């Protein structure tokens, strides 16, 4: 389908473990339009992460086709994939994956260091912008270990968006967070989406999936069904409804 | 690739992981310092031994006027086993393998210069003693054949004697000393020779013509020993055989009589000492080798222990867009920095340790550029290899596999 930012056809991933094969993806066909906000759902082990890793160019498929913005990613070499991850894609992990013993600002700067063009002052400025966008401008000199889980995840989101990606991919970004912090993170994603960034997000919580426009449900390595969310939730409207008391202990 | 940024990344990473950086350097520092110190001390020691041996004289043979001990029994063949000057003349004329030969006699006595006096060894020898013992003067000159014929009252004094009678740094050429109430004119000061293998001070000596000492100080017709030198070091054993046969004939020994004298050659001493030196060098080389291995294992361990953490780090870097080459360059810069910094610190510590030990032991150390080069190169290779190899493995993984590594 022309105009799709992400287009996969017959995507298959088989993990080989000795003689034993795990069919993690059994032929996925999916098109995601530019500026869309999609949630991938499904039981544990249904292949969500495998799919995200391939779409995020962190892994390669066994067979099938993946076009990113019309370009066949399967034909790219490692360095071209690195460039794609650096400039076009942002990835947010469930486990945050920040560099240890490193400040929030330096973590956010990291993608910029690999993309060459900027002076250190410009780099700092862009990283600060990204931190401001996730509401952590005042924590730029904090080390990861000095930040709460929600704050670490927001640093990771700032890192994913610092190079102005076309797509942000987030694999269970709220998996380690409590309810209120999760909604705060969803608020950020909705804001980024409103700025024109395509967001693809994995979650097994129906509540979280309601913040997306479309839900894609995986079962056993296949797409089971695709649902258009009827009454989409807006995070900024939901937040006031969630009691604050409990969460103050976290931050 | 933006090298400036990669350099920046490397130094940030080193600064963030100070303990790991320090421990890695420590392995290199210990390895390099140990090797340099060991080799410097070892080479210094074996050189000291070699110099002592060379100081004994070149191609020298000594004939003692007594029988050698065999199996603990001392063979005394009569009472007339004395060496005479005639034996010396005979050796000079009849032993083709002998180049120089001199009788030696020795008197231990008090010597006086002005108000100072000093107890020392007064040796009598021919002027060729200089050649036999390879012992030139540092100022003045040796006495001559003429002095020997005239039994002239001239002498050479050693550094220790010069110091004790005339003060440090003095050059008392032309002064007169009293030996057993006879005035001797000093015509030369011997160059310093230091201690011999037994620890005796060889510079505590006065040398005068043999005839003078024998006739005027001693009143004896015998020589205490005969010193000879062979025409070459290869000829030393032949010279020994020639002297032995000649002296047996002259002393009229029957074929079954044991020798009433002993010929000792310098080669025996030298070869023993040489073997000792070789053993010592081998020992030190092994210690140096072990130090390098220990240092190397230290480096390796730190690198391998941090592989899990670093593989995940590489995964994170690649996930945000680092290329394999970027990661490898970063790790190489880190390893190079640590190896070079550690190597340089190791050289400084190694040299300081060597000097310290040398001050304690009173022998000169020899720090050879080769040992520094060897230690540094080895440490650098280990440091760089163990920094680079795990990084290369990780950089070849898919980012997701590097992230999952445990
Ligand atoms: N690296 C791997 N090696 C082998 N099997 C894997 C690997 N990663 C995932 N799998 C398997 O593939 C299937 C899909 O896993 P995953 O994509 O992680 O599912 P989800 O994210 O939906 O829980 C599971 O059966 C899982 O055990
Ligand atoms: Mg998963």
């Amino acid at each position: 389908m022309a105009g799709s930012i992400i287009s996969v056809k017959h995507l298959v991933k088989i993990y080989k473990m000795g003689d034993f094969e795990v069919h993690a993806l059994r032929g996925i066909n999916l098109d995601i339009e530019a500026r869309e906000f999609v949630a991938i759902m499904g039981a544990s082990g249904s292949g969500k992460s495998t799919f995200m890793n391939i779409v995020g160019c962190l892994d390669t498929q066994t067979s099938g086709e993946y076009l990113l913005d019309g370009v066949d990613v399967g034909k790219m070499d490692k360095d071209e994939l690195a460039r794609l991850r650096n400039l076009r894609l942002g990835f947010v992990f469930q486990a945050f994956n920040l560099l240890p013993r490193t400040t929030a600002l330096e973590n956010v700067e990291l993608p910029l260091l690999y993309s060459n063009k900027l002076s250190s002052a410009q780099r700092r400025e862009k990283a600060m912008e990204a931190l401001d966008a996730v509401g952590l401008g005042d924590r730029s000199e904090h080390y990861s270990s000095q930040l709460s889980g929600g704050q670490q995840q927001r640093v990771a989101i700032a890192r994913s968006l610092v190079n102005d990606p076309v797509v942000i991919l987030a694999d269970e970004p709220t998996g380690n967070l409590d309810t209120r912090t999760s909604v705060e993170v969803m608020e950020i994603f909705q804001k980024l989406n409103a700025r024109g960034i395509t967001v693809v997000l994995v979650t097994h919580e129906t509540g979280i999936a309601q913040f997306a426009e479309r839900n894609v449900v995986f079962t056993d390595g296949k797409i089971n069904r695709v649902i258009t969310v009827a009454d989409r939730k807006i995070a900024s409207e939901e937040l006031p409804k969630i009691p604050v008391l409990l969460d103050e202990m976290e931050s | 690739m933006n090298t400036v940024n990669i350099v920046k990344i490397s130094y940030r990473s080193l600064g963030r992981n100070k303990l790991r950086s320090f421990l890695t350097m420590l392995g290199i520092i210990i390895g390099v310092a140990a090797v340099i110190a060991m080799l410097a001390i070892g080479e210094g020691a074996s050189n000291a031994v070699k110099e002592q041996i060379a100081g004994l004289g070149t191609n020298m043979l000594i004939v003692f006027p007594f029988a050698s001990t065999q199996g603990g029994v001392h063979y005394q063949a009569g009472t007339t086993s004395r060496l005479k000057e005639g034996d010396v003349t005979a050796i000079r004329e009849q032993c083709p393998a002998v180049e120089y030969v001199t009788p030696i006699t020795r008197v231990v006595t008090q010597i006086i210069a002005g108000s100072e006096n000093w107890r020392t060894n007064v040796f009598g020898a021919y002027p060729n003693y200089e050649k036999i013992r390879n012992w030139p003067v540092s100022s003045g000159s040796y006495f001559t054949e003429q002095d020997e014929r005239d039994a002239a009252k001239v002498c050479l004094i050693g550094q220790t004697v010069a110091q004790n009678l005339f003060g440090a740094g003095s050059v008392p050429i032309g002064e007169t000393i009293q030996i057993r109430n006879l005035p001797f004119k000093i015509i030369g000061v011997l160059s310093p020779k230091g201690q011999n293998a037994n620890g005796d001070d060889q510079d505590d000596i006065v040398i005068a013509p043999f005839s003078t000492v024998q006739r005027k100080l001693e009143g004896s017709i015998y020589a205490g020993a005969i010193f000879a030198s062979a025409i070459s070091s290869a000829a030393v054993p032949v010279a020994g055989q020639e002297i032995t046969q000649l002296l047996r004939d002259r002393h009229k020994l029957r074929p079954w009589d044991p020798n009433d004298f002993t010929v000792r050659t310098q080669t025996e001493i030298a070869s023993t000492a040489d073997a000792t030196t070789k053993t010592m060098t081998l020992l030190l080389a092994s210690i140096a080798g072990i130090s390098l291995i220990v240092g190397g294992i230290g480096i390796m361990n730190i690198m391998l222990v941090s592989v899990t953490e670093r593989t995940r780090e590489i995964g994170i870097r690649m996930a945000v867009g680092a290329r394999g080459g970027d990661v490898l360059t970063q790790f190489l810069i880190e390893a190079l920095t640590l190896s070079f910094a550690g190597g340089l610190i190791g050289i400084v510590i190694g040299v300081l340790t060597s000097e310290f030990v040398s001050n304690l032991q009173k022998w000169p150390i020899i720090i050879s550029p080769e040992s520094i080069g060897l230690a540094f190169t080895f440490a650098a290779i280990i440091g760089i290899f163990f920094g680079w190899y795990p990084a290369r493995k990780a950089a070849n993984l898919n980012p997701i596999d590097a992230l999952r590594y445990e």
Side-chain angles (χ1 to χ4, degrees):
Chain A
M1 192 190 291
S4 301
I5 190 81
I6 290 168
S7 170
V8 301
K9 287 196 179 63
H10 314 298
L11 199 68
V12 171
K13 177 73 179 179
I14 300 168
Y15 291 111
K16 289 207 172 62
M17 306 166 79
D19 298 338
F20 190 66
E21 289 187 346
V22 180
H23 292 253
L25 297 179
R26 300 165 183 266
I28 300 284
N29 296 296
L30 183 66
D31 287 295
I32 296 172
E33 303 305 314
R35 297 163 177 270
E36 222 189 327
F37 194 138
V38 175
I40 311 267
M41 302 197 59
S44 182
S46 57
K48 306 183 295 291
S49 294
T50 304
F51 174 76
M52 291 293 274
N53 293 337
I54 293 169
V55 173
C57 299
L58 300 172
D59 205 352
T60 46
Q61 67 267 38
T62 308
S63 66
E65 193 185 64
Y66 165 29
L67 303 182
L68 177 68
D69 210 0
V71 183
D72 189 349
V73 171
K75 294 209 172 82
M76 290 187 166
D77 68 19
K78 286 188 166 209
D79 283 359
E80 288 170 321
L81 290 176
R83 201 169 165 69
L84 217 53
R85 290 193 297 271
N86 186 238
L87 296 175
R88 313 274 284 160
L89 301 167
F91 209 103
V92 179
F93 300 89
Q94 179 175 355
F96 318 142
N97 279 333
L98 299 178
L99 285 182
R101 294 178 288 280
T102 304
T103 64
L105 186 71
E106 282 176 349
N107 264 300
V108 177
E109 274 186 343
L110 199 59
L112 300 173
L113 280 168
Y114 291 110
S115 60
N116 221 351
K117 301 276 182 284
L118 304 175
S119 72
S120 32
Q122 290 170 315
R123 216 167 30 231
R124 207 189 142 81
E125 197 185 306
K126 276 203 91 168
M128 278 309 297
E129 258 173 45
L131 274 174
D132 281 331
V134 298
L136 278 181
D138 55 339
R139 300 292 167 98
S140 61
E141 295 306 320
H142 284 51
Y143 290 90
S144 330
S145 56
Q146 298 169 327
L147 298 172
S148 70
Q151 289 167 333
Q152 289 186 52
Q153 193 59 296
R154 284 192 275 163
V155 172
I157 295 170
R159 181 179 65 188
S160 76
L161 65 86
V162 73
N163 240 343
D164 302 317
V166 191
V167 180
I168 287 183
L169 302 155
D171 189 355
E172 305 213 33
T174 62
N176 289 350
L177 306 178
D178 63 75
T179 318
R180 189 184 164 85
T181 318
S182 300
V183 177
E184 283 170 359
V185 166
M186 294 317 292
E187 187 190 14
I188 295 169
F189 281 126
Q190 285 190 332
K191 234 164 61 186
L192 296 175
N193 184 232
R195 265 164 55 176
I197 301 174
T198 310
V199 177
V200 183
L201 170 143
V202 169
T203 182
H204 56 260
E205 299 167 69
T206 13
I208 294 295
Q210 295 300 303
F211 292 101
E213 299 163 321
R214 200 151 63 113
N215 292 356
V216 178
V217 183
F218 276 46
T219 309
D220 206 11
K222 286 198 179 116
I223 293 180
N224 181 293
R225 60 206 147 98
V226 178
I227 306 159
T228 307
V229 178
D231 50 345
R232 188 184 182 202
K233 286 198 275 187
I234 307 301
S236 52
E237 292 167 7
E238 296 299 316
L239 270 176
K241 301 180 204 161
I242 304 171
V244 186
L245 266 176
L246 273 171
D247 307 289
E248 278 175 349
M249 295 164 74
E250 193 217 6
S251 46
Chain B
M1 187 185 304
N2 186 335
T3 322
V4 177
N5 283 359
I6 303 294
V7 170
K8 196 171 286 179
I9 288 169
S10 309
Y11 286 103
R12 275 188 187 176
S13 163
L14 287 177
R16 254 174 228 143
N17 301 284
K18 292 197 179 61
L19 183 63
R20 184 176 70 207
S21 304
F22 171 73
L23 290 175
T24 310
M25 273 207 302
L26 194 64
I28 296 173
I29 291 171
I30 291 174
V32 170
V35 170
I36 290 176
M38 284 302 158
L39 291 181
I41 294 164
E43 276 183 53
S46 55
N47 216 54
V49 172
K50 273 187 205 140
E51 263 173 17
Q52 278 169 358
I53 294 164
L56 291 172
T58 48
N59 314 330
M60 191 167 75
L61 301 95
I62 302 174
V63 185
F64 294 109
F66 43 74
S68 60
T69 17
Q70 287 178 358
V73 182
H74 203 81
Y75 286 87
Q76 287 287 3
T79 51
T80 54
S81 68
R82 291 292 173 93
L83 299 170
K84 294 182 190 164
E85 213 172 344
D87 290 328
V88 176
T89 317
I91 291 171
R92 183 172 62 222
E93 286 166 357
Q94 295 173 39
C95 297
V98 173
E99 188 169 23
Y100 300 109
V101 58
T102 179
I104 297 286
T105 188
R106 188 183 72 150
V107 180
V108 180
T109 185
Q110 203 79 14
I111 57 177
I112 302 164
S115 59
E116 304 290 331
N117 69 78
W118 181 251
R119 194 175 172 78
T120 188
N121 298 299
V122 179
F123 275 71
Y126 291 170
N128 62 15
Y129 188 78
E130 175 181 11
K131 303 283 190 334
I132 296 172
R133 292 233 34 211
N134 188 23
W135 196 358
V137 287
S138 63
S139 56
S141 58
Y142 259 75
F143 46 85
T144 60
E145 297 287 347
Q146 189 62 42
D147 294 329
E148 177 61 43
R149 281 192 290 274
D150 298 347
K153 293 200 285 288
V154 293
C155 69
L156 310 168
I157 61 174
Q159 296 279 339
T160 305
V161 175
Q163 251 175 48
N164 283 289
L165 291 182
F166 300 99
S170 57
V171 185
I173 308 287
E175 303 277 349
T176 302
I177 53 174
Q178 302 285 328
I179 307 176
R180 292 202 172 153
N181 295 325
L182 288 176
F184 279 72
K185 188 179 166 210
I186 299 171
I187 58 168
V189 177
L190 292 159
S191 56
K193 225 170 170 61
Q195 296 183 347
N196 68 10
N198 295 328
D200 301 328
D201 179 10
Q202 301 183 82
D203 297 319
D204 191 1
I205 193 173
V206 172
I207 303 175
F210 178 75
S211 53
T212 316
V213 177
Q214 194 195 33
R215 286 177 223 155
K216 302 197 164 150
L217 295 180
E218 217 180 13
S220 156
I221 58 160
Y222 298 109
I226 295 172
F227 283 15
S229 66
I231 48 175
S232 70
S233 54
V236 170
V238 181
Q241 283 157 17
E242 288 174 356
I243 292 171
T244 304
Q245 198 47 55
L246 181 68
L247 291 183
R248 283 184 68 86
D249 289 349
R250 288 183 57 84
H251 294 183
K252 302 196 166 49
L253 299 178
R254 289 157 298 177
W256 52 87
D257 288 331
N259 291 345
D260 59 355
F261 57 90
T262 307
V263 179
R264 289 280 303 278
T265 62
Q266 208 54 51
T267 20
E268 292 165 18
I269 306 167
S271 64
T272 314
D274 209 39
T276 313
T277 314
K278 279 197 183 119
T279 314
M280 209 155 84
T281 310
L282 195 69
L283 173 78
L284 285 152
S286 337
I287 295 175
I290 291 169
S291 314
L292 278 182
I293 291 170
V294 169
I297 289 174
I299 300 168
M300 192 177 79
N301 280 352
I302 289 294
M303 296 296 193
L304 292 182
V305 163
S306 58
V307 152
T308 307
E309 194 195 41
R310 300 230 76 177
T311 303
R312 292 191 51 109
E313 175 194 332
I314 289 172
I316 294 173
R317 291 180 183 282
M318 292 202 298
V320 302
R323 283 159 297 188
D326 296 334
V327 169
L328 266 185
T329 309
Q330 174 200 338
F331 275 65
L332 265 184
I333 293 172
E334 287 186 30
L336 279 169
T337 306
L338 291 180
S339 300
F340 275 77
L344 290 178
I345 297 173
I347 289 174
V348 171
I349 293 182
V351 170
L352 289 180
T353 311
S354 312
E355 307 247 323
F356 179 71
V357 172
S358 134
N359 280 344
L360 284 185
Q361 296 296 322
K362 304 272 187 271
W363 71 54
I365 49 156
I366 298 172
I367 300 175
S368 64
E370 288 87 352
S371 72
I372 293 184
L374 169 85
F376 194 85
T377 311
F378 188 85
I381 288 175
I382 290 190
I384 292 166
F385 178 77
F386 284 105
W388 167 82
Y389 182 70
R392 198 200 62 148
K393 272 175 69 178
N396 275 337
L397 296 175
N398 275 331
I400 197 68
D401 293 326
L403 278 170
R404 277 203 205 109
Y405 187 89
E406 48 195 29

